Amino acid sequence: MVESNAGSYTGMRIGIDLGGTKIEALAIDNDGNELLRYRVDTPRDDYAATVEAMAALVRRIEKETGKTGTVGAGIPGSISAKTGLVKNANSTWLNGQPLDKDLSAALNREVRIANDANCLAVSEATDGAAAGPNGTGGEWGHIPLPWPNEEENPGPLCYCGKRGCMETWVSGTGLARDYKHVTGKQRTSREIIVDFEAGDKDAIEAVDRLEDRLARGMSSIIDILDPDVFVVGGGLSQAKHLYERLPKRLPQYVFGGEADTPILPAKFGDSSGVRGAAWLWPLTR
Ligand SMILES: [Zn+2]
């Protein structure tokens, strides 16, 4: 007898990555091989249309493959255990909505929803850079930057309402903002990294500040959790020098002065979030 959430079991998992500008859906087989991938623009500020766009991607994949899949979704927020409603989403039109229930109803099956950063951790721990029994990951975007200097205190305003959150400093946006604040010049984080690699003085100093802040944040995590590995996702994860230079900066901040925690790029890069959403239905058979 076959028991499955999605009728007869097909081994197909569908992951949806709900972002502020695009929604991506991906289908993988039992071995994690990609079957199909579609991407559409996010209907910003329109909750009903967002739910429908997510459901439509699933229907399209199932029509194309002729299979029924399990469905998981990564969202830029989380479902409150207290209210069952979305909270903390920077795509603010999702907040206060029962997204898991509405998507489950639209697709006529249980849909699992998790925070997008946690999806990245699930992906990398399942078959990515942190694969293994102790694979772990996390999100520390909204804890404050540790050991701030005078210039860094109280720090930039975050969408969460507080100031000086890690993600206002160590994201691509944070790098560009810091660079502009210091140099007066407007450059994207990608351009700053290119300048850095070409030996530009302003870019070298900006990347130096970025790495120092990352090292402070990671050292606090080591002091509390002592993880086996750090897996870096997002746009900045493509800056290759981080994996050479950053580990050398940890000992000066970690209690006791010793740290050799590996720092690795997300194996699946930009796809890790959507793969992790698919893996929210783990291998059970
Ligand atoms: Zn914040």
Side-chain angles (χ1 to χ4, degrees), residues 199-249:
D200 176 82
K201 182 174 165 289
D202 287 339
I204 288 173
E205 287 174 3
V207 167
D208 202 62
R209 290 190 296 275
L210 171 78
E211 287 182 351
D212 185 70
R213 288 163 184 152
L214 266 170
R216 278 183 262 163
M218 286 176 163
S219 296
S220 302
I221 300 297
I222 292 173
D223 282 347
I224 300 168
L225 298 173
D226 195 16
D228 296 297
V229 61
F230 285 105
V231 180
V232 184
L236 283 177
S237 64
Q238 281 146 27
K240 292 186 188 67
H241 63 273
L242 286 181
Y243 310 101
E244 295 282 317
R245 293 160 45 115
L246 204 45
K248 296 180 187 135
R249 291 173 178 266

Side-chain angles (χ1 to χ4, degrees), residues 141-143 157-168:
H142 299 280
I143 66 164
L157 186 63
C158 182
Y159 78 86
C160 76
K162 302 215 166 46
R163 284 188 171 275
C165 293
M166 280 302 295
E167 80 164 43
T168 68

Side-chain angles (χ1 to χ4, degrees), residues 40-165:
V40 295
D41 288 339
T42 305
R44 291 184 66 85
D45 301 317
D46 187 338
Y47 174 69
T50 300
V51 174
E52 180 46 35
M54 294 170 84
L57 284 169
V58 171
R59 288 188 209 112
R60 197 169 150 197
I61 284 173
E62 295 189 333
K63 191 173 175 213
E64 197 67 30
T65 58
K67 291 178 180 174
T68 305
T70 56
V71 179
I75 66 167
S78 58
I79 306 277
S80 162
K82 276 190 181 159
T83 64
L85 307 174
V86 175
K87 63 174 183 177
N88 296 345
N90 55 4
S91 300
T92 48
W93 65 96
L94 303 175
N95 288 324
Q97 301 286 356
L99 180 58
D100 54 343
K101 290 186 189 71
D102 289 340
L103 195 56
S104 296
L107 289 168
N108 199 26
R109 79 197 77 169
E110 187 193 343
V111 173
R112 291 185 178 169
I113 287 188
N115 174 265
D116 50 11
N118 290 349
C119 286
L120 186 141
V122 168
S123 167
E124 293 296 323
T126 302
D127 57 354
N134 298 313
T136 184
E139 176 180 37
W140 88 125
H142 299 280
I143 66 164
L145 176 69
W147 301 290
N149 62 38
E150 242 168 68
E151 282 278 294
E152 293 167 335
N153 198 5
L157 186 63
C158 182
Y159 78 86
C160 76
K162 302 215 166 46
R163 284 188 171 275
C165 293

